[in-house]
Short mmCIF file of all heavy atoms in Angstrom, two decimals:
data_model
loop_
_atom_site.label_atom_id
_atom_site.label_comp_id
_atom_site.label_asym_id
_atom_site.label_seq_id
_atom_site.Cartn_x
_atom_site.Cartn_y
_atom_site.Cartn_z
N SER A 3 9.69 3.59 10.39
CA SER A 3 10.27 2.29 10.78
C SER A 3 9.38 1.18 10.80
O SER A 3 8.16 1.35 10.71
CB SER A 3 10.94 2.60 12.22
OG SER A 3 9.89 2.58 13.11
N ASN A 17 -9.50 -1.23 13.43
CA ASN A 17 -10.62 -0.34 13.14
C ASN A 17 -11.56 -0.96 12.15
O ASN A 17 -12.79 -0.89 12.23
CB ASN A 17 -10.02 0.98 12.47
CG ASN A 17 -9.53 1.92 13.62
OD1 ASN A 17 -9.83 1.71 14.75
ND2 ASN A 17 -8.77 2.92 13.20
N SER A 21 -15.42 -1.97 13.08
CA SER A 21 -16.38 -1.37 12.33
C SER A 21 -17.35 -2.44 11.55
O SER A 21 -18.58 -2.43 11.68
CB SER A 21 -15.89 -0.45 11.34
OG SER A 21 -16.93 0.10 10.54
N HIS A 23 -17.52 -5.56 12.31
CA HIS A 23 -18.20 -6.50 13.32
C HIS A 23 -19.36 -5.82 13.91
O HIS A 23 -20.56 -6.30 13.85
CB HIS A 23 -17.20 -6.86 14.45
CG HIS A 23 -17.83 -7.42 15.65
ND1 HIS A 23 -18.25 -8.74 15.72
CD2 HIS A 23 -18.26 -6.84 16.88
CE1 HIS A 23 -18.79 -8.91 16.96
NE2 HIS A 23 -18.84 -7.89 17.64
N ASP A 32 -31.20 -6.24 13.57
CA ASP A 32 -32.34 -5.74 12.76
C ASP A 32 -33.16 -6.95 12.14
O ASP A 32 -34.23 -6.74 11.82
CB ASP A 32 -31.77 -4.72 11.74
CG ASP A 32 -31.27 -3.45 12.38
OD1 ASP A 32 -31.51 -3.16 13.62
OD2 ASP A 32 -30.61 -2.77 11.67
N ASN A 76 -22.68 -26.57 24.46
CA ASN A 76 -23.86 -27.00 25.19
C ASN A 76 -24.96 -26.00 25.13
O ASN A 76 -26.12 -26.45 25.00
CB ASN A 76 -23.44 -27.16 26.69
CG ASN A 76 -22.54 -28.37 26.90
OD1 ASN A 76 -22.46 -29.28 26.06
ND2 ASN A 76 -21.72 -28.38 27.94
N ALA A 90 -20.50 -44.79 18.02
CA ALA A 90 -20.56 -45.99 18.87
C ALA A 90 -19.20 -46.52 19.18
O ALA A 90 -19.15 -47.18 20.25
CB ALA A 90 -21.33 -47.06 18.00
N ASP A 91 -18.24 -46.49 18.41
CA ASP A 91 -16.89 -46.98 18.62
C ASP A 91 -16.00 -46.23 19.67
O ASP A 91 -14.99 -46.66 20.06
CB ASP A 91 -16.16 -47.28 17.31
CG ASP A 91 -15.89 -45.92 16.65
OD1 ASP A 91 -16.57 -44.99 16.75
OD2 ASP A 91 -14.93 -45.98 15.75
N ASN A 92 -16.44 -45.00 20.03
CA ASN A 92 -15.74 -44.18 20.84
C ASN A 92 -16.58 -43.11 21.48
O ASN A 92 -16.84 -42.02 21.04
CB ASN A 92 -14.57 -43.42 19.94
CG ASN A 92 -13.57 -42.55 20.97
OD1 ASN A 92 -13.81 -42.59 22.22
ND2 ASN A 92 -12.44 -42.20 20.46
N GLN A 93 -17.15 -43.42 22.63
CA GLN A 93 -18.04 -42.61 23.28
C GLN A 93 -17.52 -41.36 23.94
O GLN A 93 -18.18 -40.54 24.38
CB GLN A 93 -18.79 -43.43 24.43
CG GLN A 93 -19.67 -44.42 23.91
CD GLN A 93 -20.98 -43.82 23.29
OE1 GLN A 93 -21.70 -43.13 23.92
NE2 GLN A 93 -21.14 -44.14 21.97
N LYS A 105 -29.19 -24.02 9.43
CA LYS A 105 -28.47 -23.86 8.20
C LYS A 105 -29.00 -22.72 7.41
O LYS A 105 -28.29 -21.87 6.76
CB LYS A 105 -28.46 -25.13 7.34
CG LYS A 105 -27.65 -26.22 7.97
CD LYS A 105 -27.70 -27.50 7.09
CE LYS A 105 -26.81 -28.72 7.81
NZ LYS A 105 -26.94 -29.88 6.94
N GLU A 109 -27.04 -19.22 6.32
CA GLU A 109 -27.02 -18.63 4.98
C GLU A 109 -27.63 -17.14 4.98
O GLU A 109 -27.07 -16.42 4.16
CB GLU A 109 -27.93 -19.54 4.01
CG GLU A 109 -27.37 -20.89 3.65
CD GLU A 109 -26.02 -20.73 2.90
OE1 GLU A 109 -25.91 -19.87 2.02
OE2 GLU A 109 -25.13 -21.57 3.19
N GLU A 121 -22.78 -2.90 -0.38
CA GLU A 121 -23.27 -1.52 0.02
C GLU A 121 -22.11 -0.58 0.15
O GLU A 121 -22.01 0.41 -0.28
CB GLU A 121 -24.12 -1.53 1.22
CG GLU A 121 -24.56 -0.27 1.72
CD GLU A 121 -25.39 -0.31 3.13
OE1 GLU A 121 -26.11 -1.34 3.29
OE2 GLU A 121 -24.98 0.38 4.06
N GLY A 124 -20.17 0.02 -3.12
CA GLY A 124 -21.02 0.52 -4.19
C GLY A 124 -20.38 1.55 -5.01
O GLY A 124 -20.54 1.62 -6.21
N GLU A 136 -6.44 -7.93 -3.80
CA GLU A 136 -5.09 -8.45 -3.82
C GLU A 136 -4.33 -8.08 -2.59
O GLU A 136 -3.58 -8.90 -2.05
CB GLU A 136 -4.34 -7.76 -5.08
CG GLU A 136 -4.76 -8.40 -6.45
CD GLU A 136 -4.55 -9.95 -6.33
OE1 GLU A 136 -3.46 -10.41 -6.08
OE2 GLU A 136 -5.50 -10.54 -6.78
#
Side-chain angles (χ1 to χ4, degrees):
S3 69
N17 284 345
S21 177
H23 169 77
D32 293 346
N76 287 340
D91 62 336
N92 188 350
Q93 289 292 302
K105 290 178 182 178
E109 286 298 323
E121 176 186 316
E136 284 308 307

